[in-house]
Amino acid sequence: MGISREGRHKRRETGGRREKYRKKRKFELGRPPAMTKIGEKRVHEVRCRGGNLKFRALRLDAGNFSWGTEVCTRKVRVLDVTYNASNNELVRTKTLVKGAIVLVDAHPFKSWYEAHYGTKIGLKKSAPPAATDEGKKSSSVQKKIAKRNAGRTLEGSIDHQMASGRLLAKVTSRPGQSGRCDGIILEGPELAFYQKMMARK
């Protein structure tokens, strides 16, 4: 029997059984889940109603992730799945779905931040402070960087993650529908919430 999305087989709110007055219809069909895994990119096209296409990602290893407070988006590697509010089995099998909390490579964001603000971040406590190359920059560039630094704030938890080379992010796209794994870098109260949930496990 095919997967169907109709609800006529369910009982009424009052508990009574419904009449079976018709069979399944093509427009009520459902399909098996994509269960997207981390690996070399593999995307299948699925022909849908009206000749439209869905892109069923079976494996993905990278996506566009956005750092909201810094308004910076970079294509980064997805390294691991660390938490899923809906099902722990999706964490064990490393399945990419919308809403999954994943670890992504921090280096593209770190290199952009250091170039943009002219300051080193994610330094280990024991490491000596890195020498800055202020002499190599023109006065106009130095003024621009000084102006940017005037209102600069970097969350401690983000700085700590930068040192490890990995950032926690949330998948906001639907890999089984769009064939992409895009998302946002976690920060602020949302990051604190997910860190607390992961520590509780």
Side-chain angles (χ1 to χ4, degrees):
M1 296 290 283
I3 299 169
S4 180
R5 293 179 298 114
E6 52 75 36
R8 289 185 312 281
H9 68 285
K10 305 285 276 186
R11 285 173 178 259
R12 292 190 175 92
E13 265 188 4
T14 54
R17 288 180 179 274
R18 285 202 176 103
E19 276 306 308
K20 293 190 176 73
Y21 64 87
R22 78 172 189 206
K23 293 184 179 180
K24 293 178 179 181
R25 296 289 189 262
K26 170 78 170 160
F27 56 77
E28 292 168 345
L29 70 79
R31 296 187 185 90
M35 304 301 277
T36 310
K37 300 289 187 277
I38 298 171
E40 192 180 348
K41 186 178 177 181
R42 184 186 292 174
V43 179
H44 286 182
E45 284 186 1
V46 180
R47 195 265 186 196
C48 303
R49 189 170 164 87
N52 296 303
L53 289 176
K54 283 184 179 179
F55 299 95
R56 186 81 76 237
L58 304 178
R59 290 182 195 166
L60 288 172
D61 58 359
N64 289 330
F65 285 82
S66 176
W67 186 358
T69 53
E70 293 297 337
V71 196
C72 169
T73 303
R74 291 288 178 272
K75 184 178 180 180
V76 291
R77 285 188 308 121
V78 178
L79 305 171
D80 195 10
V81 179
T82 57
Y83 181 75
N84 194 309
S86 64
N87 190 352
N88 281 335
E89 192 71 4
L90 299 176
V91 179
R92 192 183 65 79
T93 56
K94 300 190 190 309
T95 304
L96 296 172
V97 292
K98 183 175 177 175
I101 306 303
V102 296
L103 277 175
V104 298
D105 183 20
H107 290 105
F109 291 108
K110 187 179 178 182
S111 56
W112 170 83
Y113 193 94
E114 288 175 352
H116 189 72
Y117 289 107
T119 181
K120 294 284 180 189
I121 59 166
L123 297 171
K124 299 274 198 301
K125 291 279 186 283
S126 57
T132 54
D133 54 346
E134 285 296 316
K136 295 176 187 173
K137 291 180 178 131
S138 67
S139 58
S140 62
V141 170
Q142 286 179 19
K143 274 183 197 170
K144 192 191 288 182
I145 286 173
K147 191 177 178 184
R148 286 173 185 163
N149 274 299
R152 181 179 78 87
T153 54
L154 181 64
E155 208 177 318
S157 50
I158 296 277
D159 194 26
H160 182 69
Q161 287 181 82
M162 288 287 189
S164 69
R166 295 172 169 209
L167 288 170
L168 282 170
K170 184 160 104 175
V171 178
T172 54
S173 68
R174 301 173 69 195
Q177 309 286 321
S178 64
R180 299 170 64 92
C181 182
D182 300 338
I184 56 167
I185 301 299
L186 291 177
E187 46 192 337
E190 194 176 17
L191 173 60
F193 170 77
Y194 283 114
Q195 283 177 329
K196 188 175 78 177
M197 297 304 286
M198 281 185 271
R200 190 183 292 176
K201 271 201 302 179

